[in-house]
Amino acid sequence: MPTIKKFEFLLMGFVVCLGVSLASDHAYGIDYSVDRGVEKKAAQNYYADFSGLESANFKILSTAECNADYVKSELARKQLLESDDAQGFVLPFDWVPSGAPQRLEDRNCEPERLQNLLYAKRSSTRAQASSLREFFQNCDRSLRYEMPSGPKAVISMTQTEYRYCEHPNMRKIIVKLPNGDIVRGILALKPGNTPRPLIIAKCGVMCNVGDAAMRFLLMHLFDEAPFNLLVLSNNTGADYVRDNRYFVPGGLKEGQHFILAAQMMRASVISKRISSVHAIGVSLGAHSALYGAYLSQFQPGATRQPVRQTVLASVLAACPVVDLRSSITDLFQWSIKGTIAQILFNNSIDKVLETNPELQPLFSWWWAPRTDRPRLIAEASARYLGQQKRGWNLPPFDNLEIENADDFWALNQDVTWAQKPFLTPTLALAADDDQVVNPYANTGQLAKTALAATTIPAGDHCAFSQMYGWRTSSALYRGFFLSQSPDLLKRRKPLSVSIPLDVLETASQHTNNLTLELHGVTRFSFTPGVEAIKVIHQYFSARHDLGCTQQNTRFAPLHCYREVSFNLPFSRVPNRPWWAHAPLTVPEAEALTRWANVNLKAVDQNGVLVDDTGNLATQLKWLSYDGQF
């Protein structure tokens, strides 16, 4: 790989890892505004109730405040990539994932099969880890056919656009945890009062709330799944450092945030809407999630028998940092990776000192020689933690004494605590080709312990959705947490709606057996203010004159397909399910589009998928976990 290409690739990898995102001008030219008055008048089963959550320790930002933070953050990141340090790496920020498949998946590699594998092995996370590796090894070639790889995959992840401030079921929040730490986040709630799992998520190093590294979690675990979601910023992010006036990386300090946030939400006015609490961390956030899993089993009320019960019902660590010392040291080597880290760290630190110059002592290590910085970070962190009153952490870390950098490093090694199985079901997952966090020095070391840990062939640094397909990545994340949520699995049942015959006939949807047309993929889309869902059927035709006779529905060139689309009015949808409503905003329409493309299936009159058949699609089917979602 030429040097400049390698630099570009690693820059984008760090953009994902550090949560750096970029916005183009078009993002500010659309009116995304939500009229909360209109929202209140909307049907009750479409929008969540956030009333009563506000307190001295829980602030909900207004839409205007949220948008102001969003625009400021995006412009700052755009300026970073237009700076002299990163000259030549400006990219358009305009990718809005629709969740739509490009081609039919191989029958043995369909997202539903992956999800069912996780269900089948739900009693053992080690068995789930083994099944995941086997699935992706067997399906690697099929799933990655014509998918981006290397720089393209990682770059596309940094271009993810999501105006979450304008989603009616999301709120940006500022929370003061019981230990006094102030954390910014996004709370996403499903409508209604049905109890459902709450997933708490944290992104990676230097990540602030709403950064690109967070957005795919909002999409996979809220838009496309039946969960409530609380996404929190990393404690190395500029906002967190400014709010709390300390800089201490790693799970020893941050892991307790998962426990404290879970307990706080359990004690809030929405407690009856929470059936269980789970956790996911990405990159450095995964280091903290693993600590949260360990802490979970030592909190009051944790039991193994007769029923396993812990604060966190399950934990997923994605592309995790495990060895904090080696991972931070690696960031400051004299290498391309180290140079990129310096650019991005410098940007984040400048943002803090620009408004709070009095915090400069927190970053005294930054002006030291590059290779001395890991030691100085550890020494400063040890001093800060050593000055805290006894009991600053949760059991079993409540009586720790930290005197020096060696203590800090030793207490931030996940493998130290993983020699015995955790009471909390925990799974760590990384890619063999991760160029940001070394998978062998991190997840590979964890795999030698009692914890469930595995790697899959591709994905680089958490770019699974780009390399293996959006629906596959969604099934992976959603499937793990569903497998650890017995309440949802008990309520799971298929629902369907019929497509009126006159709608089908008007759309001329019938297949033509004379040309051997077969169903390819089916896609869906929603439009703000429109009381209809757009259905797009793809058909494959093995025509001689197009050179398609030797092709099949999965791998044929695009000219072997035709598309037929029609609008299904919601007024014609029997029993009007929750998704059959006109979205209020562009982001809500995009979220509904993702849900539909991941969850809705086109089936024939017998309820059988029409994929790769000549049968007429007369129904839309999906799995419900509470009668709605």
Side-chain angles (χ1 to χ4, degrees):
M1 181 184 293
T3 301
I4 189 67
K5 289 296 184 183
K6 187 173 183 180
F7 184 86
E8 179 180 350
F9 173 59
L10 288 173
L11 173 63
M12 291 307 108
F14 273 99
V15 165
V16 172
C17 183
L18 304 182
V20 175
S21 53
L22 171 67
S24 64
D25 293 337
H26 84 90
Y28 311 113
I30 299 175
D31 180 10
Y32 289 92
S33 60
V34 177
D35 183 338
R36 298 299 184 197
V38 172
E39 179 181 321
K40 290 179 181 178
K41 296 175 184 177
Q44 195 64 36
N45 63 328
Y46 299 155
Y47 302 110
D49 180 9
F50 288 83
S51 62
L53 275 169
E54 288 260 23
S55 69
N57 296 323
F58 198 106
K59 179 182 178 182
I60 298 178
L61 273 66
S62 68
T63 303
E65 290 173 315
C66 182
N67 269 327
D69 285 352
Y70 184 95
V71 172
K72 182 179 179 181
S73 174
E74 293 306 299
L75 289 177
R77 283 159 171 71
K78 185 174 182 180
Q79 289 168 2
L80 165 66
L81 292 187
E82 290 177 341
S83 67
D84 292 339
D85 286 334
Q87 192 64 42
F89 300 104
V90 180
L91 299 168
F93 191 87
D94 57 2
W95 183 50
V96 179
S98 69
Q102 299 305 307
R103 296 179 180 276
L104 291 179
E105 296 95 353
D106 185 285
R107 289 290 187 191
N108 293 322
C109 302
E110 292 177 338
E112 290 75 19
R113 184 170 183 273
L114 172 58
Q115 194 163 284
N116 288 335
L117 281 174
L118 291 168
Y119 293 166
K121 305 292 184 180
R122 60 184 177 273
S123 62
S124 167
T125 50
R126 293 182 72 88
Q128 287 181 319
S130 178
S131 294
L132 282 173
R133 181 157 181 82
E134 182 180 3
F135 175 87
F136 283 102
Q137 284 178 329
N138 292 338
C139 296
D140 186 71
R141 183 176 180 182
S142 173
L143 290 176
R144 293 177 65 193
Y145 180 74
E146 292 188 343
M147 296 298 290
S149 61
K152 289 184 178 179
V154 181
I155 287 171
S156 64
M157 188 172 179
T158 71
Q159 295 172 293
T160 308
E161 173 64 271
Y162 199 163
R163 298 284 299 211
Y164 52 84
C165 298
E166 311 304 341
H167 193 301
N169 290 330
M170 295 182 184
R171 299 289 188 276
K172 188 171 184 179
I173 61 172
I174 302 176
V175 177
K176 185 175 183 180
L177 296 173
N179 69 345
D181 287 346
I182 298 171
V183 190
R184 296 171 186 260
I186 299 171
L187 178 62
L189 296 177
K190 298 294 187 187
N193 295 316
T194 302
R196 65 180 70 249
L198 169 70
I199 299 176
I200 301 175
K202 271 189 175 273
C203 50
V205 63
M206 296 295 201
C207 177
N208 292 304
V209 63
D211 283 348
M214 273 190 175
R215 292 171 189 168
F216 82 96
L217 295 174
L218 288 169
M219 296 174 185
H220 280 337
L221 293 176
F222 184 73
D223 293 348
E224 303 156 16
F227 310 125
N228 294 318
L229 182 65
L230 173 61
V231 186
L232 299 175
S233 61
N234 192 275
N235 72 345
T236 58
D239 290 341
Y240 185 90
V241 174
R242 187 182 295 111
D243 289 337
N244 295 280
R245 297 176 178 266
Y246 73 80
F247 180 90
V248 178
L252 178 66
K253 173 64 174 167
E254 190 175 30
Q256 61 182 315
H257 286 182
F258 287 98
I259 306 300
L260 297 173
Q263 293 170 338
M264 189 174 190
M265 298 308 294
R266 283 286 203 183
S268 73
V269 296
I270 66 167
S271 60
K272 292 183 179 180
R273 289 188 259 171
I274 300 172
S275 60
S276 56
V277 182
H278 306 251
I280 181 173
V282 176
S283 194
L284 184 61
H287 188 264
S288 300
L290 290 168
Y291 271 75
Y294 182 71
L295 289 168
S296 178
Q297 62 195 335
F298 293 99
Q299 304 315 304
T303 60
R304 187 180 297 274
Q305 298 293 339
V307 178
R308 175 178 55 79
Q309 185 172 341
T310 54
V311 176
L312 301 177
S314 70
V315 172
L316 180 61
C319 44
V321 169
V322 175
D323 185 337
L324 185 66
R325 184 174 194 168
S326 69
S327 296
I328 288 183
T329 300
D330 198 31
L331 289 182
F332 294 110
Q333 295 301 305
W334 286 100
S335 62
I336 294 175
K337 184 189 295 188
T339 299
I340 297 166
Q342 178 166 314
I343 294 171
L344 299 175
F345 267 82
N346 192 56
N347 174 70
S348 188
I349 292 170
D350 283 348
K351 284 167 60 180
V352 175
L353 300 184
E354 182 180 341
T355 54
N356 298 86
E358 74 278 7
L359 298 182
Q360 183 167 330
L362 294 178
F363 302 104
S364 59
W365 51 268
W366 184 247
W367 289 272
R370 186 185 297 185
T371 53
D372 286 345
R373 292 174 190 172
R375 174 180 59 82
L376 294 173
I377 289 173
E379 289 176 354
S381 298
R383 281 195 300 273
Y384 174 82
L385 295 177
Q387 294 168 0
Q388 303 306 300
K389 294 181 180 179
R390 188 176 295 274
W392 62 267
N393 208 334
L394 299 172
F397 299 140
D398 48 339
N399 291 311
L400 290 178
E401 292 186 3
I402 299 177
E403 298 180 354
N404 52 48
D406 288 339
D407 290 343
F408 177 76
W409 291 131
L411 291 168
N412 270 292
Q413 299 298 326
D414 282 326
V415 292
T416 304
W417 318 109
Q419 301 309 313
K420 294 181 179 180
F422 288 0
L423 187 57
T424 300
T426 303
L427 175 64
L429 176 71
D432 290 329
D433 61 351
D434 192 327
Q435 296 193 55
V436 177
V437 174
N438 187 313
Y440 305 105
N442 290 278
T443 304
Q445 294 302 310
L446 206 61
K448 299 175 184 177
T449 70
L451 283 191
T454 191
T455 58
I456 60 178
D460 204 271
H461 196 57
C462 280
F464 303 122
S465 58
Q466 283 70 17
M467 291 196 181
Y468 286 117
W470 190 265
R471 284 163 24 102
T472 300
S473 175
S474 182
L476 169 61
Y477 290 105
R478 183 178 69 253
F480 173 75
F481 288 114
L482 281 172
S483 75
Q484 302 300 325
S485 303
D487 56 314
L488 289 187
L489 293 181
K490 287 179 182 177
R491 299 200 300 259
R492 181 179 55 166
K493 66 177 181 178
L495 296 179
S496 63
V497 295
S498 297
I499 303 173
L501 185 59
D502 62 310
V503 174
L504 297 178
E505 291 176 343
T506 301
S508 301
Q509 155 152 338
H510 294 282
T511 58
N512 187 343
N513 291 324
L514 295 178
T515 57
L516 302 178
E517 285 195 323
L518 300 174
H519 269 279
V521 298
T522 300
R523 304 186 185 100
F524 306 93
S525 68
F526 288 76
T527 302
V530 176
E531 288 278 350
I533 180 174
K534 186 176 184 180
V535 183
I536 307 162
H537 287 299
Q538 181 192 74
Y539 292 104
F540 166 76
S541 179
R543 291 174 56 182
H544 289 278
D545 57 327
L546 293 178
C548 301
T549 54
Q550 302 301 313
Q551 304 293 337
N552 61 52
T553 51
R554 288 175 171 78
F555 304 111
L558 292 178
H559 68 257
C560 295
Y561 301 91
R562 71 180 179 97
E563 290 188 348
V564 172
S565 65
F566 61 92
N567 287 324
L568 174 58
F570 296 143
S571 61
R572 303 296 307 282
V573 176
N575 300 319
R576 195 138 179 176
W578 72 271
W579 50 264
H581 70 277
L584 290 178
T585 65
V586 172
E588 187 191 2
E590 294 166 351
L592 285 169
T593 295
R594 280 188 289 273
W595 179 88
N597 283 313
V598 166
N599 291 281
L600 283 183
K601 309 297 177 189
V603 299
D604 63 19
Q605 60 184 357
N606 296 315
V608 178
L609 278 174
V610 297
D611 296 356
D612 210 11
T613 75
N615 298 338
L616 182 65
T618 60
Q619 302 177 71
L620 300 179
K621 183 171 71 173
W622 70 99
L623 280 176
S624 169
Y625 296 90
D626 60 3
Q628 294 189 65
F629 296 93

